[in-house]
Amino acid sequence: MHIAVARPSTFSSHEVSKSSIAGFGSTIKGPSCAKLKSSCHIATTQLSYQNVKSGGLRFGKMITKAMSDSSDTKPLPGLPIDLRGKRAFIAGIADDNGYGWAIAKSLAAAGAEILVGTWVPALNIFETSLRRGKFDESRVLPDGSLMEITKVYPLDAVYDTPEDVPEDVKSNKRYAGSSKWTVKEVAESVKEDFGSIDILVHSLANGPEVSKPLLETSRYGYLAAISASSYSYVSLLQHFAPIMNPGGASISLTYIASERIIPGYGGGMSSAKAALESDTQVLAFEAGRKHGIRVNTISAGPLRSRAAKAIGFIDMMIDYSLENAPLQKELSAEEVGNAAAFLASPLASAITGAVVYVDNGLNAMGVGVDSPVFKDLDIPRADKH
């Protein structure tokens, strides 16, 4: 599925083929927002685009459309992704152009209530942007309504409890005015506000020395990457699992550098992603046995997000993927969001401990077919026009 906003000026014509439709509805309740009523109609469509401004290749998409009807509680036809009545906590959203935001939109389109944990130093800018409507365009769901975020919590997942926070951080002006932002405190606040959740999403990563080769990475930089990018997931599950309903799902985001050499992705970040994937398997067993929760991770391809640009070579990785992946198209954040919605849904009720690749198939490649070595081979290429 690909979530898209249909605008009259964007599509000149469309042809519906083998359409299967399913309706979703939900009412989001929360102390600080209006009710969000949304539902989805899923249809396989083939669209003919004209005058579409896009940096990627043009390609057919499956469109998820949301239609409002929260009062409809009858069983849905077909095989829908139905998250009505479910509540999701997404840790790590600080803007509107990353995978975390896309996952929130997909979950909302399927009927889930959205709670967000935002890094404390970015909290004020994020909430101000939301309040002033700067994110309104990217909040638009397929039915034209705006995704509602029931509540935004300050969060710094590097610290588990208040006792773990050093004095220099407590006195840092970037943390002034915020309270109860350690993992334990946020889980307690969510329990106090809402009682329980059904979906936990870890969209966090940080490597202060990511631009350094591993051979030049300091112990501090290496351990900081592990702490923020992998142990933070262990901590989140440790504190949130007790308030997750049985049958719930937890999802994190990883990267192919966990198992393949990606020059330039340094500072211990490749090690952190490898740890995250290993922990996913162990946590799937432990959280599954103790809490009845599924634990999976999505290995997503490169995306031009603000966070990814900090690495410094994201454009090269996107170009490499376009040339070498089985599917020659630029990966969209919505495609990762929709994969997460599937993993969080009852349709994936037997899937746990898995690394799910959403990267246009790049993970399957053994060589880069754009190499001059293969110039004499007749290698199929996508029509970019």
Side-chain angles (χ1 to χ4, degrees):
M1 293 186 303
H2 178 96
I3 292 191
V5 179
R7 294 190 178 94
S9 62
T10 302
F11 309 123
S12 60
S13 65
H14 68 274
E15 175 183 340
V16 179
S17 173
K18 296 182 180 178
S19 129
S20 67
I21 298 175
F24 301 88
S26 78
T27 299
I28 290 183
K29 299 179 180 178
S32 60
C33 76
K35 294 180 179 178
L36 167 65
K37 297 179 179 178
S38 71
S39 62
C40 296
H41 284 262
I42 299 179
T44 303
T45 62
Q46 294 178 342
L47 301 178
S48 174
Y49 294 78
Q50 289 186 5
N51 301 322
V52 179
K53 295 180 179 179
S54 174
L57 303 180
R58 294 182 178 126
F59 55 95
K61 301 181 179 71
M62 182 178 289
I63 308 299
T64 301
K65 289 190 175 181
M67 304 294 288
S68 295
D69 192 4
S70 61
S71 61
D72 186 5
T73 58
K74 61 184 179 183
L76 302 175
L79 200 62
I81 293 180
D82 184 4
L83 298 177
R84 294 175 299 177
K86 305 297 184 182
R87 182 177 296 115
F89 182 87
I90 300 101
I93 297 180
D95 56 41
D96 65 337
N97 75 341
Y99 284 135
W101 180 271
I103 290 172
K105 284 187 68 175
S106 294
L107 295 177
E113 179 178 12
I114 305 300
L115 310 177
V116 167
T118 298
W119 188 45
V120 184
L123 180 67
N124 184 54
I125 295 175
F126 180 69
E127 289 190 314
T128 300
S129 297
L130 272 177
R131 187 170 58 252
R132 294 181 178 176
K134 292 184 178 181
F135 296 154
D136 282 359
E137 184 176 353
S138 55
R139 286 173 61 201
V140 178
L141 294 175
D143 68 343
S145 65
L146 299 183
M147 175 183 69
E148 294 289 351
I149 296 175
T150 301
K151 189 166 183 178
V152 179
Y153 292 86
L155 171 68
D156 192 330
V158 170
Y159 305 107
D160 303 319
T161 68
E163 294 73 29
D164 297 329
V165 183
E167 287 301 323
D168 62 323
V169 174
K170 291 179 182 178
S171 59
N172 191 309
K173 63 181 181 180
R174 297 197 298 171
Y175 287 77
S178 296
S179 61
K180 297 183 178 180
W181 43 260
T182 63
V183 176
K184 179 182 179 181
E185 291 173 302
V186 174
E188 290 173 346
S189 295
V190 171
K191 180 180 180 180
E192 182 179 345
D193 293 339
F194 299 97
S196 64
I197 64 171
D198 303 277
I199 301 163
L200 176 66
V201 179
H202 176 278
S203 182
L204 298 163
N206 183 49
E209 299 180 13
V210 66
S211 60
K212 290 184 178 181
L214 188 58
L215 271 175
E216 299 174 15
T217 299
S218 69
R219 182 182 297 271
Y220 163 79
Y222 186 93
L223 294 178
I226 294 286
S227 174
S229 308
S230 54
Y231 183 79
S232 57
Y233 189 37
V234 177
S235 180
L236 279 172
L237 261 177
Q238 185 180 110
H239 291 92
F240 275 86
I243 67 169
M244 292 183 70
N245 295 316
S250 181
I251 303 163
S252 65
L253 292 166
T254 185
Y255 183 49
I256 192 67
S258 62
E259 53 186 291
R260 300 284 189 273
I261 300 168
I262 306 292
Y265 193 74
M269 281 303 300
S270 57
S271 306
K273 292 303 185 182
L276 181 67
E277 293 180 17
S278 177
D279 291 344
T280 294
Q281 295 177 322
V282 178
L283 292 170
F285 174 77
E286 295 181 356
R289 290 295 182 96
K290 188 173 182 179
H291 301 287
I293 297 168
R294 293 181 295 108
V295 182
N296 294 292
T297 188
I298 294 175
S299 184
L303 176 74
R304 286 189 179 93
S305 66
R306 291 187 184 95
K309 287 178 181 177
I311 300 173
F313 66 103
I314 189 64
D315 290 335
M316 286 186 287
M317 293 307 301
I318 291 174
D319 291 341
Y320 179 85
S321 180
L322 283 170
E323 291 297 325
N324 294 287
L327 298 178
Q328 282 191 276
K329 62 181 182 63
E330 187 167 330
L331 182 71
S332 72
E334 289 85 355
E335 288 170 310
V336 172
N338 289 327
F342 162 72
L343 288 173
S345 77
L347 295 181
S349 60
I351 300 175
T352 192
V355 177
V356 179
Y357 296 94
V358 185
D359 63 355
N360 288 323
L362 187 62
N363 71 91
M365 299 302 296
V367 296
V369 294
D370 62 343
S371 170
V373 172
F374 301 106
K375 62 181 173 58
D376 295 327
L377 286 182
D378 183 17
I379 297 176
R381 297 190 181 277
D383 182 2
K384 297 185 179 182
H385 303 290

